[in-house]
């Protein structure tokens, strides 16, 4: 008996509850018995789409194709399918190519609906070409059916998303785990806060701002007997990470759709106030800024990080990192900062040893959150529309596209349908262009420092430093961990010069220039230049460092923690006593 392979596929999981699987299986068994074949193996893709070729890339059918191409299947065997649309519903060109590949590999194809057998011999002997033409027509029909169905479903979901943006209608009953579903008097979906679970969310964000990592937060929740929302088991670090990254805690909802390859991609900007907010935007920004800083400067032992408050931030004026040296216990020993390049005689002359306790005293007592506000005032107004304004344009074009698509479907087969199809194509191009522009603008916005976050971090350092002075030894560890996190959030670098310590706070824009120059000590780092040693310039007694940073200038406020100057020289500095206190002159 010759070998046969059956292949069963249907698109949606709901079809498994119906008759599709039984019908395809019985047809394959009946044909094999009637024609002297034995079914060696059955391949199944249940609930897998053939429209985008997922059955050939991720499903069982892909394994069948690889085995056939490798010659692992016997020649003159056949593949039994209910119809050619079970193999593929892709564009006819792709479907036909895959179909002919099977034939060339020596595998015949039998369609059980009409009993037709497609082999290399039967196709070559068909002088009229009708056998091949008929198979191509089946592929064209299958692709058209799936395309029209997909467009109708996409249009329906587009209308739902637009309704959600315009009227705050809920798209589905799926909601975040810290909310409870419900219905209003009109039967519309609603949701309210689950207080106990919302408290867990707030705790996660607050502990992240304090400097705790995902693993530490998960351990704390598990110790307190708090269960995760979905699995109702212990918390995992990945679950904590998802809560922090998601903007749903602020009440936002991000609609999604499928692209041509079937990938799930965002559809426009998040919808604000879609859910009840359990945290405010300021807390979300501070928590995610803390995560970003931790990823950038992470690594090393936690206990070393707590001992070294400015780990990852401390640099020498030459550009090298500052080493943290532990020379043992006092009175002979102690902890110090020193330039790593100078320590190895690499050419830096800044060989000064900075006592860690003295450095911390300067850092924790000199921070002034109010002093940076003026420097955050941009030099010019925004150029071009904001991401939000571009999103409104996209929403308008999307509504026009949906209307044109509906008209094209209603007039299918008529000459006027081509006019509406051209409009849909035009809107697609415009929407794609605006999305790229919006994504670029949004990326620029996200990369800019956020004044409230920076000021909050500086304020937190001052408050935590005050607590540290009266804290017990058991409390100091967690307080110092929080201070580390807030310093990393507020400062891009802390630079050690031979006679000064300066913190660099990155500014989102070029500061507004007033009479007499910038209102505060501002450092400019030009684009495209490698980081070098200190360069003296007019009006800049401390010099300025530059480094390769991309295509645009970056601006930093120099927050002076310590400087060895006399009182007269200090008073002449731009910014005066609000920046450098006389006690450290």
């Amino acid at each position: 008996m010759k070998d046969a392979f059956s292949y069963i596929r249907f698109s949606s999981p709901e079809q498994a509850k119906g008759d599709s699987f039984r019908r395809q299986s019985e047809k394959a068994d009946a044909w094999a018995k009637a024609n002297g074949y034995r079914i060696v193996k059955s391949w199944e893709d249940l609930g897998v789409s053939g429209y985008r070729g997922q059955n050939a890339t991720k499903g069982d059918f892909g394994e069948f194709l690889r085995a056939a191409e490798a010659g692992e299947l016997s020649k003159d065997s056949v593949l039994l399918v209910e119809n050619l649309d079970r193999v593929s519903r892709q564009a006819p060109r792709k479907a036909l190519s895959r179909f002919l590949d099977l034939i060339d590999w020596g595998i015949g194809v039998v369609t059980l609906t009409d009993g037709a057998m497609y082999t290399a011999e039967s196709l070559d002997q068909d002088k009229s070409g009708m056998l091949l033409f008929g198979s191509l027509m089946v592929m064209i029909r299958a692709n058209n059916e799936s395309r029209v169905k997909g467009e109708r479903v996409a249009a329906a979901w587009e209308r739902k998303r637009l309704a959600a943006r315009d009227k705050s209608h809920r798209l589905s009953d799926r909601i975040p785990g810290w909310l409870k579903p419900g219905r209003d008097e009109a039967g519309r979906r609603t949701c309210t806060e689950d207080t106990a679970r919302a408290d867990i969310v707030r705790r996660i964000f607050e502990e992240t701002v304090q400097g705790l990592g995902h693993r530490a937060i998960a351990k704390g929740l598990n110790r307190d007997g708090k269960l995760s929302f979905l699995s109702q088991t212990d918390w995992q670090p990945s679950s904590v990470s998802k809560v922090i990254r998601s903007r749903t805690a602020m009440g936002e909802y991000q609609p999604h759709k499928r692209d041509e390859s079937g990938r799930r991609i965002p559809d426009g900007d998040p919808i604000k106030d879609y859910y009840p907010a359990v945290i405010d935007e300021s807390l979300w920004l501070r928590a995610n800024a803390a995560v970003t800083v931790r990823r950038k400067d992470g690594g090393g032992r936690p206990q070393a990080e707590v001992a070294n408050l400015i780990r990852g931030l401390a640099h020498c004026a030459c550009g090298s990192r500052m080493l943290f040296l532990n020379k043992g216990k006092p009175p002979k020993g102690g902890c110090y900062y020193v330039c790593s390049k100078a320590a190895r005689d690499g050419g830096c002359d800044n060989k000064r040893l900075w006592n860690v306790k003295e450095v911390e005293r300067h850092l924790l007592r000199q921070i002034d959150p109010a002093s940076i506000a003026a420097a955050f005032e941009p030099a010019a107004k925004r150029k071009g529309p904001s991401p939000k304004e571009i999103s409104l344009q996209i929403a308008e074009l999307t509504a026009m596209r949906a209307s044109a698509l509906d008209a094209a479907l209603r007039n299918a087969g008529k000459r006027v349908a081509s006019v509406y199809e051209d409009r849909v194509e035009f809107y697609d191009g415009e929407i794609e262009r605006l999305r790229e522009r919006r994504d670029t603008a949004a990326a620029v916005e996200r990369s800019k420092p956020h004044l409230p976050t920076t000021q909050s971090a500086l304020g937190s350092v001052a408050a935590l430093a005050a607590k540290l002075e009266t804290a017990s030894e058991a409390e100091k560890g967690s307080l110092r961990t929080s201070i580390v996190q807030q310093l990393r959030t507020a400062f891009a670098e802390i630079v050690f010069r031979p006679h000064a310590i300066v913190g660099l706070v990155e500014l989102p824009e070029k500061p507004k220039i007033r009479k007499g120059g910038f209102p505060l000590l501002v450092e400019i780092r030009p684009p495209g230049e490698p980081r070098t040693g200190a360069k003296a310039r007019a009006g800049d007694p401390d010099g300025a460092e530059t480094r390769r940073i991309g295509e645009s200038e970056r601006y930093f406020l120099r927050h002076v923690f310590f400087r060895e100057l006399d009182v007269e020289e200090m008073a002449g500095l731009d910014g005066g006593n609000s920046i450098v206190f006389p006690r450290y002159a």
Side-chain angles (χ1 to χ4, degrees):
M1 297 179 73
K2 294 182 180 179
D3 292 344
F5 306 93
S6 74
Y7 177 62
I8 299 172
R9 185 193 67 79
F10 45 78
S11 299
S12 62
E14 288 76 13
Q15 290 177 280
K17 303 174 184 177
D19 197 45
S20 185
F21 183 85
R22 182 199 60 78
R23 185 184 69 247
Q24 294 183 57
S25 298
E26 289 182 356
K27 282 184 178 181
D29 291 338
W31 188 93
K33 289 179 182 179
N35 292 275
Y37 282 79
R38 60 172 183 173
I39 297 179
V40 178
K41 186 174 181 179
S42 294
W43 307 81
E44 302 171 359
D45 281 321
L46 311 183
V48 179
S49 172
Y51 179 51
R52 295 185 176 91
Q54 291 182 349
N55 60 327
T57 55
K58 301 178 182 179
D60 270 12
F61 190 60
E63 295 183 14
F64 171 78
L65 290 174
R66 287 187 286 273
E69 184 178 13
E72 298 172 1
L73 307 181
S74 57
K75 302 295 183 182
D76 299 326
S77 58
V78 295
L79 175 67
L80 307 179
V81 293
E82 185 178 42
N83 208 330
L84 288 178
D85 61 6
R86 299 296 173 184
V87 174
S88 176
R89 283 181 170 264
Q90 287 183 282
R93 175 183 59 82
K94 294 181 179 180
L96 182 62
S97 175
R98 184 162 291 133
F99 171 74
L100 293 177
D101 282 343
L102 269 178
I103 301 299
D104 289 340
W105 295 333
I107 309 296
V109 179
V110 176
T111 52
L112 301 173
T113 300
D114 56 9
M117 179 181 287
Y118 303 88
T119 64
E121 185 178 2
S122 65
L123 291 175
D124 291 343
Q125 291 178 356
D126 180 25
K127 302 303 182 183
S128 66
M130 291 305 296
L131 189 60
L132 182 60
F133 180 73
S135 67
L136 180 59
M137 291 303 296
V138 172
M139 297 172 192
I140 293 174
R141 175 188 57 78
N143 177 256
N144 283 339
E145 287 177 352
S146 293
R147 179 179 57 81
V148 172
K149 180 181 178 182
E151 288 176 346
R152 286 175 176 167
V153 171
W157 273 102
E158 193 69 43
R159 287 192 294 270
K160 288 184 178 181
R161 286 191 288 267
L162 288 172
R165 290 187 183 280
D166 296 338
K167 304 174 184 178
S168 296
H169 286 185
R170 300 281 183 268
L171 293 176
S172 71
D173 285 323
R174 295 186 63 182
I175 58 176
W178 52 86
L179 301 177
K180 297 182 292 187
R183 299 274 177 170
D184 62 13
E185 294 178 356
R188 290 174 299 197
R189 298 182 180 96
T190 62
C191 52
T192 55
E193 178 182 309
D194 183 323
T195 304
R197 291 186 170 189
D199 286 343
I200 294 176
V201 173
R202 287 186 277 266
R203 170 177 170 174
I204 288 173
F205 276 91
E206 289 165 359
E207 290 186 349
T208 301
V209 171
Q210 292 168 10
L212 273 65
H214 299 155
R215 189 173 299 279
I217 294 173
K219 285 183 177 180
L221 292 171
N222 293 334
R223 279 196 303 268
D224 294 342
K226 308 296 184 182
L227 300 179
S228 66
F229 302 145
L230 292 179
S231 64
Q232 288 295 292
T233 56
D234 289 346
W235 280 86
Q236 301 290 334
S238 59
S239 303
V240 173
S241 175
K242 288 177 182 177
V243 171
I244 296 168
R245 291 200 312 269
S246 173
R247 297 176 68 89
T248 53
M250 292 189 296
E252 293 186 3
Y253 168 69
Q254 175 62 70
H256 286 79
K257 66 177 184 179
R258 301 281 180 182
D259 64 8
E260 292 183 356
S261 62
R263 292 178 301 177
R264 193 167 177 263
I265 60 173
D267 181 33
D269 283 346
I271 303 173
K272 293 184 179 295
D273 301 323
Y274 184 85
Y275 300 118
V278 297
I279 63 167
D280 58 28
E281 185 175 17
S282 174
L283 180 57
W284 189 91
L285 288 170
R286 284 185 286 133
N288 280 269
V291 172
T292 301
V293 170
R294 226 177 3 253
R295 286 175 179 167
K296 180 177 68 176
D297 298 319
R301 295 173 296 171
Q303 60 269 29
E305 178 178 287
V306 175
N308 181 3
L309 288 184
I310 52 177
R311 176 181 172 272
L313 290 176
H315 290 80
C316 175
C318 73
S320 302
R321 288 187 176 271
M322 297 292 288
L323 288 178
F324 181 84
L325 300 180
N326 188 338
K327 292 182 171 291
K329 295 181 179 181
K332 293 185 178 181
C335 294
Y336 300 90
Y337 293 109
V338 65
C339 172
S340 58
K341 191 172 184 179
R344 62 176 184 269
D345 292 329
C348 178
D349 295 329
N350 184 11
K351 297 185 178 182
R352 177 171 181 171
L353 289 177
W354 293 85
N355 185 282
V356 169
K357 287 186 176 181
E358 289 298 310
V359 170
E360 287 185 7
R361 185 166 64 91
H362 298 319
L363 262 60
L364 298 182
R365 295 185 183 181
Q366 293 288 337
I367 286 179
D368 180 14
S371 68
I372 69 168
F376 272 79
E377 186 177 353
K381 294 181 178 179
R382 175 193 297 277
K383 296 179 180 179
S386 67
K388 185 176 181 180
E389 291 168 338
I390 298 174
S391 293
L392 291 175
Q393 297 177 30
I394 293 173
E396 292 176 3
L397 287 177
T398 301
M400 297 166 70
R401 180 194 181 279
S403 178
L405 180 59
D406 280 344
L409 294 174
R410 286 197 308 270
N411 293 280
K414 299 178 183 179
R415 183 176 299 177
V416 70
S418 63
V419 176
Y420 292 113
E421 289 172 358
D422 289 343
R423 289 185 187 177
V424 171
E425 186 175 350
F426 169 76
Y427 291 139
D428 284 340
E430 285 297 295
I431 290 170
E432 183 63 27
R433 181 183 65 81
L434 285 173
R435 280 178 178 157
E436 291 178 1
R437 187 178 178 188
R438 180 200 60 198
D439 293 344
T440 301
V444 172
E445 290 282 329
R446 287 193 299 269
S447 67
K448 293 178 180 178
H450 185 247
L451 174 58
T453 300
T454 303
Q455 287 184 309
S456 175
L458 291 171
S460 296
V461 172
L464 292 168
K467 290 183 180 179
L468 193 64
E469 292 184 0
T470 58
S472 65
E473 289 300 321
E475 295 171 333
K476 285 183 179 179
S478 60
L479 286 172
R480 290 177 67 85
T481 298
S482 298
I483 291 173
V484 169
Q485 185 59 61
Q486 301 308 318
L487 286 172
R488 291 178 182 176
T489 302
F491 293 98
E493 288 181 21
I494 294 177
V495 181
F496 286 73
R497 295 170 180 152
H499 303 287
I501 304 173
V502 180
L504 301 182
V505 179
E506 186 168 4
L507 307 178
E509 306 280 357
K510 180 178 180 179
K512 189 172 183 179
I513 302 178
R514 299 172 183 173
K515 277 190 175 182
F518 289 123
L520 297 169
L521 291 175
V522 172
E523 179 169 308
I524 304 173
R525 291 188 175 173
E529 293 186 25
R531 182 180 175 89
T532 63
K535 291 182 180 179
R537 62 179 181 179
D540 183 10
D542 291 312
E545 296 85 11
T546 59
R547 61 182 175 185
R548 189 173 300 279
I549 56 171
E551 297 300 324
S552 60
E553 288 183 328
R554 294 170 71 190
Y555 301 87
F556 299 85
L557 166 68
R558 285 184 290 184
H559 196 96
V560 181
F561 294 110
F562 172 79
R563 179 177 290 167
E564 292 176 334
L565 299 171
D566 59 37
V567 176
E568 291 183 2
E569 185 178 5
M570 182 188 64
L573 287 173
D574 195 1
N577 293 344
S578 65
I579 296 179
V580 185
F581 294 156
R583 65 186 298 178
Y584 296 133

